Amino acid sequence: MTLSQQHREADTDWWRGATLYQIYPRSFMDANGDGIGDLPGITARLDHVASLNVDAIWLSPFFSSPMKDFGYDVADYCDVDPMFGTLDDFRALVDRAHELGLRVIIDQVLSHSSDAHSWFQESRRDRTNARADWYVWADPRPDGTAPNNWMAAFSGRAWTFDARRRQYYLHNFLPSQPDLNFHNPEVQQAQLDNLRFWLELGVDGFRFDVVNYYFHDPALTDNPPMPRERIHPGHPQSYQFQRHNIEQPENLAYLERIRALLDEYPGATTVGEIAGNDQLPTMAAYTQGDKRLHMAYTFDLLDSTGDTDELYGVLARFHELGKDTWPCWALSNHDVVRSATSWGEARALLALTVLCSLRGSLCLYQGEELGLPEAELAYEDLQDPFGINLWPEVKGRDGCRTPMVWTEAPSGGFCPEGVAPWLPVDSRHRPLAVACQEADADSLLNRVRRLLQLRGESELLRRGEQTLIDPASLPDDVFAVLRHDGDQRLLCLAHLGRQGAARLRLDALVPGANGWSSIALPGMAVPQREGHELGLAPGQATWLTIT
């Protein structure tokens, strides 16, 4: 189905309840045989993505970059890095996606650039050039030390001394990723111009990296210590409550400028990554109403293990934020352990069934539909600076970034045989390859396709309201939400325990219910019923239409 411009503009609310599919370009498909994924490779495999019944793709960065943080260090915001292809390759990708009915969302890393960007090269030259104030510069303390105590996400101080300017510059991540100074109106406009460039090329929206990191406290006030119980010992930045280096009030006004730009392109949408401190309240502030982000996600579910209390805790806190907040829930992405490992490989389908039950939009990460577990890598195979710096206590992000497996060949069909992929293919992934699962009607891949089709066809699941069932009324390890819209009601149940069947009395869970019927879920047995009682086995989920 061709996604015409007219249709894209008419369905401006398409993102509510939509399912996005995240593609990490380095690892999706290598079309030119150099061991690194590229844009033509993505285009060649878009039929697979469309077959999953998702609404859009989200592309991680493919912009010009020295790749010290694999594209999240941008050297040119308006060009494609040669390793991924050309702007014409990107245009071809967008055209093919739209032919298949897929919208295209691309990453934007606005808070910081690469130190190789021409803006920073000019800014660091001296203190009087035209871009001298485009980055965050500060004088040393009298003893020559950094201006304050701020820590970087990838370990160490968030400041690096530059001998030419005899000042420190701020970097919340690697020293090669200097932070832009959004207190400068010219910087704000430059990044808005960057967004307009891609909108004019036909993209359908943006995923914003660390969207709460744009502004800093210009007084450079020290961050207070984090309460000891919230510290992650292997993560130095977690020792501080990031009160002054991120989440400043000015961020909200800038998001409104971004939204005003997006509103010039009907149907274009935004999803923001919220990282840092208390993420759910920030998500609420950033998505409330229709003036800021359309949707956002936090790491609350990305860090989940499928524990019932943990899941209830996240959703209960979310419910307190009000109905205006629109989340984009995910269990896996390029920064965290794959959900098949964090939830358990045998529970991969259960995890996605729970995800599909929730109010909000969804995001799947490439390979999640195959049940790929986190790859095991030797230290010498690591590429991620985060993992290299903190090994072995923190193994970094390479384990979720290994190549997509298309066939059972040693290379996984990702690149030609005899070519070394940029990260090794885990031997456990190869039997789970697309070609292997395509032939089996009951494979996880085909079950996920049917599950996403059910979700996509249900307005109740895509956009209906959600009520959490009180855990006190449920057996241990059973999770339940009621999706509803007027008289329509759908009870979503899942037994997240590892052992012991659970019995539930349905009329106690949904007072006033006259009857119910089960929706056949792929890979899930129809639960046993005796009168008003229903039995659930460990790992079993069900959706019940309530009348």
Side-chain angles (χ1 to χ4, degrees):
M1 176 185 69
T2 299
L3 193 66
S4 69
Q5 181 70 26
Q6 184 177 6
H7 177 69
R8 286 161 57 210
E9 293 180 357
D11 189 12
T12 58
D13 232 18
W14 67 269
W15 52 273
R16 287 193 184 273
T19 301
L20 317 181
Y21 183 88
Q22 183 193 355
I23 293 174
Y24 193 70
R26 279 185 85 91
S27 298
F28 198 63
M29 182 67 197
D30 169 21
N32 65 0
D34 64 356
I36 298 172
D38 45 47
L39 297 182
I42 295 170
T43 304
R45 294 292 188 177
L46 284 177
D47 290 82
H48 166 76
V49 180
S51 78
L52 298 175
N53 300 303
V54 301
D55 299 282
I57 58 171
W58 151 28
L59 300 178
S60 290
F62 52 84
F63 315 108
S64 298
S65 168
M67 298 294 161
K68 293 181 180 178
D69 190 24
F70 299 103
Y72 286 90
D73 48 330
V74 179
D76 188 335
Y77 285 100
C78 296
D79 203 1
V80 174
D81 193 279
M83 75 167 56
F84 295 126
T86 66
L87 278 172
D88 283 340
D89 291 327
F90 178 75
R91 292 184 181 97
L93 187 158
V94 171
D95 288 344
R96 180 58 181 152
H98 287 165
E99 287 175 5
L100 293 168
L102 295 168
R103 290 174 169 84
V104 179
I105 293 171
I106 66 171
D107 238 309
Q108 288 291 296
V109 190
L110 304 187
S111 72
H112 56 270
S113 76
S114 165
D115 60 359
H117 198 294
S118 61
W119 297 347
F120 187 71
Q121 293 297 307
E122 183 175 357
S123 184
R124 76 188 315 180
R125 194 172 61 216
D126 54 49
R127 299 192 190 191
T128 59
N129 66 80
R131 292 194 171 94
D133 193 34
W134 276 45
Y135 291 81
V136 184
W137 296 96
D139 292 329
R141 288 172 170 168
D143 62 358
T145 55
N148 61 25
N149 71 343
W150 297 350
M151 299 294 289
F154 294 157
S155 82
R157 290 281 188 182
W159 297 95
T160 291
F161 187 74
D162 183 84
R164 276 165 284 190
R165 286 187 53 143
R166 300 181 184 179
Q167 288 181 304
Y168 284 88
Y169 65 87
L170 175 67
H171 52 86
N172 276 297
F173 298 93
L174 293 172
S176 57
Q177 294 170 295
D179 274 59
L180 283 151
N181 177 21
F182 276 82
H183 291 286
N184 185 328
E186 292 180 343
V187 170
Q188 294 186 33
Q189 187 58 51
Q191 292 295 40
L192 292 173
D193 292 343
N194 153 42
L195 300 182
R196 188 180 294 278
F197 173 84
W198 293 104
L199 289 165
E200 287 294 320
L201 282 182
V203 303
D204 300 286
F206 303 106
R207 176 265 183 186
F208 290 116
D209 189 60
V210 290
V211 72
N212 51 331
Y213 275 59
Y214 296 164
F215 287 83
H216 66 286
D217 171 13
L220 304 183
T221 309
D222 278 354
N223 278 332
M226 183 69 77
R228 183 169 297 274
E229 65 273 11
R230 294 182 60 183
I231 292 173
H232 299 281
H235 211 311
Q237 195 180 46
S238 73
Y239 283 77
Q240 297 179 354
F241 188 85
Q242 297 179 73
R243 178 169 293 162
H244 300 291
N245 61 316
I246 64 173
E247 289 179 7
Q248 300 305 293
E250 296 92 336
N251 223 68
L252 293 173
Y254 190 59
L255 293 181
E256 292 177 6
R257 293 190 68 189
I258 290 175
R259 181 61 176 263
L261 171 62
L262 269 287
D263 286 346
E264 295 180 30
Y265 298 83
T269 194
T270 56
V271 54
E273 176 195 41
I274 308 293
N277 306 310
D278 296 323
Q279 298 169 17
L280 285 173
T282 303
M283 179 170 71
Y286 282 24
T287 62
Q288 283 177 347
D290 57 1
K291 293 183 178 180
R292 298 166 187 165
L293 297 175
H294 297 78
M295 49 188 165
Y297 73 88
T298 71
F299 282 78
D300 293 88
L301 283 191
L302 284 167
D303 291 334
S304 74
T305 60
D307 176 79
T308 314
D309 292 340
E310 172 189 69
L311 189 58
Y312 266 115
V314 172
L315 293 177
R317 293 197 305 274
F318 169 71
H319 272 261
E320 294 171 1
L321 302 176
K323 293 183 178 180
D324 276 352
T325 299
W326 195 267
C328 184
W329 298 118
L331 301 176
S332 291
N333 75 8
H334 64 292
D335 281 332
V336 300
V337 173
R338 284 185 172 275
S339 62
T341 294
S342 58
W343 279 62
E345 292 178 42
R347 304 203 304 166
L349 181 62
L350 176 67
L352 293 178
T353 303
V354 170
L355 187 70
C356 286
S357 304
L358 302 180
R359 178 180 181 268
S361 302
L362 312 180
C363 189
L364 266 66
Y365 179 52
Q366 63 182 51
E368 200 168 3
E369 73 275 22
L370 306 177
L372 300 185
E374 187 80 352
E376 295 290 339
L377 296 169
Y379 177 77
E380 55 269 22
D381 291 325
L382 296 184
Q383 302 285 337
D384 180 20
F386 180 50
I388 293 170
N389 290 344
L390 299 178
W391 178 275
E393 284 74 19
V394 177
K395 294 188 177 180
R397 302 166 295 180
D398 287 322
C400 63
R401 297 178 176 183
T402 56
M404 181 74 171
V405 283
W406 301 100
T407 71
E408 207 170 357
S411 71
F414 164 74
C415 59
E417 294 306 310
V419 174
W422 78 282
L423 281 174
V425 175
D426 192 313
S427 60
R428 298 173 302 152
H429 288 186
R430 286 158 46 200
L432 301 174
V434 172
C436 300
Q437 296 200 39
E438 285 279 11
D440 180 2
D442 291 324
S443 67
L444 179 65
L445 169 60
N446 283 313
R447 287 171 170 172
V448 170
R449 283 172 171 150
R450 296 197 294 273
L451 178 67
L452 293 178
Q453 181 179 5
L454 283 174
R455 159 89 181 192
E457 291 173 348
S458 171
E459 279 297 301
L460 195 57
L461 286 171
R462 286 176 68 101
R463 306 189 187 193
E465 298 299 322
Q466 174 173 290
T467 299
L468 280 177
I469 302 297
D470 184 357
S473 66
L474 294 164
D476 291 344
D477 297 322
V478 172
F479 171 77
V481 294
L482 183 68
R483 305 299 308 279
H484 51 93
D485 182 13
D487 294 334
Q488 297 182 62
R489 293 179 293 177
L490 185 69
L491 180 63
C492 304
L493 296 164
H495 190 334
L496 303 184
R498 306 280 180 166
Q499 57 187 6
R503 299 205 67 80
L504 306 90
R505 189 161 180 88
L506 297 176
D507 55 349
L509 299 181
V510 188
N514 297 315
W516 36 77
S517 59
S518 299
I519 294 176
L521 292 180
M524 297 291 173
V526 176
Q528 296 179 350
R529 289 175 54 183
E530 295 180 7
H532 288 284
E533 283 198 343
L534 178 143
L536 280 181
Q540 188 175 18
T542 187
W543 292 345
L544 302 175
T545 300
I546 305 296
T547 57

